[in-house]
Amino acid sequence: METYVIGLGMSPPHPAQRRLRTEELAFQTVRAALADAGVERAEVDAVTLATSDEMDGRSISSMLMAAPSGAYLKDEIRVTDSGLTGLVLGALRVATGRYHLGLVVSWNHTSQIDVQDVMRMRAEPFTLRPVGMNGAIADALFAGEVQRRCGVDEDAVAARIVQRQQVAQRNPRGLRRAPQSAEAIRASGYDAYPLRRAHQAPASDGCVAFVLASGAWLRAHPQHRALARIAAVTSHIDSYRLDAGRVGAMAGFDAGLEDLLRRAGRDHAAIDVFEAEAPTGWHEAAIEHHLAGRDVRALSPSGGAWAQHPLFCMGLVNAAEAALQVAGRAGDVQVEDVHFAVAHGSHGYAQQGHTFVAFERVAA
């Protein structure tokens, strides 16, 4: 693909951002991304928004959010699956050759909503809603299957969480929360067995914006330098059914990653950095298990969801962290000599959908 990242912006993470409206959060983040790219909004010819009406607590949220996100009088389109799905769509729009400079923006003012109420509404109304299905219960079903399939117990999950929290403390773009002890994690109450409250990464508020450019645009503007090239994108959707054949199997994860590496021409090459969307310690264990046969140098060196966790746009946060690693701009969590990085995002009950974006280093 001749699609490049030339700038990005990330709002400072916040456990509950009350000072700024969602519109201001998006506006400031987009402005930072454009400044990072060294371009003006007037030069942008396409804007892709990744946002959820339910998560925003508004009907047709983009009607209010398009203008502060830079889309006033621009060709604007919206995707509602996840933040990383927005980057896939934005990259493909540039790759068509019709657009040459694009914005991708995603946010989640998570503190303004009851997430489990939103997840309950997404349940099938006749079979799943009457049993009280929500995101935590779906994640608990997933955790039970991970326990059975991978042979992982609560002690191993607590150890992984402690390790990830310690890594997250070094991330300058994270909340730098003090890590919990393994004992405190094991002592926390159950939300739904075997998922404990401390097994889940705390939600936060945040916004991410990417500026994408085509190869033709970069050749016409040699004063600009790309941070990374988007080598390949892909996504995979599993069955909606929450049966034992789907939950915990991670078939979509395996198929999606295989497809991504094939498209990038790196079937058997090492992955220098893999930024995974793992909202719980059980997800961490499952992803580690499914990456065990691959040469992955660093798994979520940013700290992943334990650094910051703006739910809907978490996959785009992972993309920003992966792109910064390739550009050598990741700061205190930089991995040495990164040439190829993968960002992963998920959505739906128990990781029904998986999205992947591969980034490559651009020669000076």
Side-chain angles (χ1 to χ4, degrees), residues 150-191:
C150 305
V152 179
D153 61 16
E154 283 201 35
D155 288 345
V157 167
R160 279 178 173 83
I161 293 170
V162 170
Q163 182 184 38
R164 191 63 67 214
Q165 288 177 334
Q166 290 170 344
V167 171
Q169 266 204 310
R170 301 200 300 270
N171 189 337
R173 295 165 297 281
L175 285 164
R176 297 182 184 262
R177 292 185 175 98
Q180 293 177 284
S181 67
E183 292 74 20
I185 293 169
R186 287 194 294 266
S188 66
Y190 288 111
D191 272 354

Side-chain angles (χ1 to χ4, degrees), residues 271-274 322-323 325-326 338-343 357-360:
I271 300 172
D272 295 320
V273 167
F274 190 101
Q325 287 284 349
V326 167
V338 176
H339 289 265
F340 183 67
V342 173
V357 177
F359 298 92
E360 286 183 341

Side-chain angles (χ1 to χ4, degrees), residues 38-58:
V39 298
E40 298 290 333
R41 191 189 75 89
E43 300 174 70
V44 173
D45 51 17
V47 179
T48 304
L49 304 180
T51 176
S52 162
D53 287 352
E54 301 107 313
M55 290 290 193
D56 283 358
R58 296 164 167 171

Side-chain angles (χ1 to χ4, degrees), residues 14-192:
H14 203 288
Q17 178 57 266
R18 307 296 188 195
R19 189 178 63 84
L20 299 177
R21 292 171 55 89
T22 310
E23 294 91 329
E24 294 173 303
L25 194 66
F27 175 81
Q28 293 185 6
T29 306
V30 169
R31 186 168 63 178
L34 292 171
D36 189 45
V39 298
E40 298 290 333
R41 191 189 75 89
E43 300 174 70
V44 173
D45 51 17
V47 179
T48 304
L49 304 180
T51 176
S52 162
D53 287 352
E54 301 107 313
M55 290 290 193
D56 283 358
R58 296 164 167 171
S59 297
I60 319 180
S61 175
S62 56
M63 290 178 63
L64 285 173
M65 295 300 298
S69 300
Y72 179 66
L73 297 181
K74 300 292 181 183
D75 191 312
E76 174 249 321
I77 195 169
R78 183 176 75 140
V79 64
T80 61
D81 290 340
S82 70
L84 195 59
T85 311
L87 183 59
V88 169
L89 180 58
L92 292 176
R93 295 180 81 192
V94 171
T96 64
R98 182 174 179 178
Y99 306 101
H100 294 285
L101 198 63
L103 267 172
V104 178
V105 193
S106 185
W107 57 83
N108 204 168
H109 224 142
T110 324
S111 64
Q112 296 187 348
I113 59 169
D114 186 317
V115 174
Q116 296 308 332
D117 277 352
V118 170
M119 294 305 294
R120 195 174 295 112
M121 285 194 305
R122 294 184 173 182
E124 189 277 324
F126 300 107
T127 304
L128 292 181
R129 275 191 214 174
V131 300
M133 181 59 65
N134 61 23
I137 292 171
D139 284 344
L141 293 173
F142 178 88
E145 278 298 294
V146 171
Q147 198 171 31
R148 183 178 70 84
R149 290 169 184 265
C150 305
V152 179
D153 61 16
E154 283 201 35
D155 288 345
V157 167
R160 279 178 173 83
I161 293 170
V162 170
Q163 182 184 38
R164 191 63 67 214
Q165 288 177 334
Q166 290 170 344
V167 171
Q169 266 204 310
R170 301 200 300 270
N171 189 337
R173 295 165 297 281
L175 285 164
R176 297 182 184 262
R177 292 185 175 98
Q180 293 177 284
S181 67
E183 292 74 20
I185 293 169
R186 287 194 294 266
S188 66
Y190 288 111
D191 272 354

